Amino acid sequence: MSSSSSSSTNQSNENPIPRPNRSKTRAPPLGDVVNRRNPLGDITNQKTGSRISAPSSTLVHCSNKISQSKKATKPPKPIAKSNLLVPYEDIELRNALGEDEVDDIDSDLVDPQLCGVFASDIFQHLRSSEVKKRPAFDYMERVQSNINASMRTILIDWLVEVAEEYRLLPETLYLAVNCLDRYLSGNVITKQNLQLLGLLEMESSVLNYLKFELTTPTAKCFLRRFLRAAQGKTEVPSILFESLACYLSELSLLDYAMLRYAPSLVAASAVFLAQYILHPSRKPWSSTLEHYTSYRAKHLEACVKNLLQLCHESPLSDVVAVRKKYSQDKYKFAAKKFCPNSLPQELFL
């Protein structure tokens, strides 16, 4: 959604993105959309600037999977009530951390991309902003009567495939999922129209409902900083570690139950679990990570265990995009890394 919205400004006058007929009050049937020659229009590749078209077969396949999905779904996972709200840093946390115990990852003033002078203030702003544009974590039960979490998973899995096919920036995927969930938090939708949330046909409806407020901190925003804090400015960045944390974070997008956790909490938990998977003999959380994430290990327990559960769950045969993506060499086969069956309780003390 956000990718198609942003890409529309980059199109030339010779080949504009098809726009819906504003005189119509409802979106056309999905069959009419997927049978068009260019259902997604020309989407701009954000890395190369080239334009490519989406094959309609992928849209039809996604539509068929959604339509075949049953309304009945497995019981929801128990909600960890202590994590429904963002456990912001308490005063004791900073007081407990001596300055000599924390690596200063913002002291590099050579690289302007790191914004070392303002990084701490920017992060604090993101932490306060992430709660303002979060979707409801119970909208499936409270708002939606025609769709379920499995249908949402199929749609997001397809969005992952589209983002990978078009080489879109990771932020585009995370923002798209955020917009989708925020829209579904207040608008009843039918099974037949669910996939339209990923197309231009519903762009106007979505943008107006969200009041054009599309930007919000996502787990990906926090993940970069947390990875830097975990590796330190002196260590050589590990592509496998970064890929594994990204894989865990992206898996969380598929699971409706993960909406209960703040994006920063998901990012911190992904780093925690990635650390433990790669180095089980080391302590996965440090005073430096506490300082820069504002989370203690005990804050992460429920979310980390849910991420581990996602790694071990047998995915639906129709939901393979994330695992397929991170099973590639360029991501160091992160999805194929061995994951422990359980975690020692002392890790969270």
Side-chain angles (χ1 to χ4, degrees):
M1 289 174 297
S2 59
S3 62
S4 56
S5 175
S6 62
S7 63
S8 62
T9 60
N10 296 328
Q11 307 304 309
S12 65
N13 293 330
E14 298 177 357
N15 191 18
I17 289 181
R19 290 291 178 179
N21 187 339
R22 302 303 183 190
S23 62
K24 295 183 179 180
T25 58
R26 51 185 299 190
L30 184 57
D32 292 345
V33 177
V34 299
N35 288 329
R36 292 176 182 174
R37 181 185 175 196
N38 214 7
L40 286 183
D42 289 334
I43 296 183
T44 302
N45 183 311
Q46 296 181 11
K47 294 186 177 181
T48 65
S50 61
R51 293 198 297 270
I52 49 182
S53 301
S56 60
S57 59
T58 62
L59 299 175
V60 176
H61 185 49
C62 179
S63 173
N64 290 339
K65 289 191 289 187
I66 292 175
S67 63
Q68 293 169 6
S69 180
K70 305 295 184 182
K71 183 64 181 75
T73 183
K74 57 185 178 182
K77 298 174 184 177
I79 296 179
K81 295 183 178 180
S82 61
N83 286 297
L84 290 179
L85 299 178
V86 181
Y88 283 108
E89 172 190 18
D90 50 46
I91 299 177
E92 297 179 0
L93 180 56
R94 260 187 208 280
N95 292 340
L97 300 175
E99 293 298 326
D100 56 336
E101 299 177 354
V102 177
D103 293 334
D104 185 1
I105 65 172
D106 296 325
S107 60
D108 186 357
L109 303 180
V110 178
D111 187 354
Q113 296 288 337
L114 298 178
C115 302
V117 176
F118 309 107
S120 180
D121 293 330
I122 292 173
F123 173 72
Q124 291 303 322
H125 172 71
L126 293 177
R127 284 294 301 272
S128 62
S129 298
E130 68 175 335
V131 299
K132 298 177 182 178
K133 298 176 185 176
R134 286 182 62 191
F137 64 86
D138 59 349
Y139 70 76
M140 283 293 181
E141 298 80 9
R142 186 170 49 83
V143 179
Q144 303 299 332
S145 58
N146 304 309
I147 64 172
N148 59 28
S150 296
M151 298 175 193
R152 173 189 178 274
T153 297
I154 292 171
L155 177 60
I156 294 177
D157 186 71
W158 173 74
L159 289 176
V160 171
E161 187 178 359
V162 171
E164 183 72 359
E165 176 73 19
Y166 295 157
R167 300 178 64 189
L168 303 179
L169 297 177
E171 287 84 350
T172 301
L173 173 64
Y174 282 84
L175 285 173
V177 174
N178 174 266
C179 291
L180 181 149
D181 285 320
R182 285 163 60 198
Y183 183 81
L184 291 178
S185 295
N187 296 272
V188 179
I189 197 167
T190 64
K191 182 194 297 187
Q192 291 74 21
N193 287 336
L194 178 59
Q195 194 188 2
L196 289 180
L197 281 179
L199 304 174
L200 294 175
E201 302 299 327
M202 288 190 67
E203 180 181 8
S204 177
S205 176
V206 173
L207 291 177
N208 279 282
Y209 177 74
L210 299 181
K211 300 178 180 178
F212 288 81
E213 297 176 352
L214 303 181
T215 58
T216 185
T218 66
K220 187 65 177 180
C221 297
F222 295 103
L223 200 54
R224 285 196 195 88
R225 183 163 175 82
F226 295 172
L227 286 169
R228 180 170 167 79
Q231 298 182 97
K233 64 180 182 180
T234 58
E235 292 186 30
V236 178
S238 168
I239 299 178
L240 175 58
F241 173 52
E242 294 180 1
S243 296
L244 183 56
C246 289
Y247 166 63
L248 296 170
S249 180
E250 222 161 286
L251 272 183
S252 73
L253 295 177
L254 300 175
D255 190 5
Y256 165 71
M258 295 298 291
L259 290 177
R260 72 188 74 158
Y261 302 118
S264 60
L265 186 63
V266 172
S269 299
V271 170
F272 183 104
L273 185 54
Q275 290 261 69
Y276 183 76
I277 290 174
L278 295 180
H279 308 289
S281 61
R282 298 186 198 171
K283 191 175 180 180
W285 213 238
S286 65
S287 56
T288 299
L289 280 165
E290 283 189 0
H291 177 82
Y292 287 104
T293 67
S294 299
Y295 288 118
R296 293 180 183 272
K298 65 181 181 181
H299 294 146
L300 309 178
E301 181 178 357
C303 188
V304 169
K305 290 181 177 179
N306 281 159
L307 286 177
L308 183 61
Q309 183 180 355
L310 290 179
C311 292
H312 287 291
E313 281 185 352
S314 298
L316 300 173
S317 58
D318 293 328
V319 183
V320 297
V322 175
R323 288 174 170 83
K324 183 178 179 181
K325 172 182 176 180
Y326 284 95
S327 294
Q328 300 177 73
D329 177 63
K330 65 179 179 179
Y331 296 112
K332 300 301 179 183
F333 310 104
K336 297 183 177 181
K337 289 296 295 181
F338 172 77
C339 294
N341 293 321
S342 61
L343 299 172
Q345 188 59 35
E346 57 266 23
L347 296 178
F348 303 102
L349 299 179

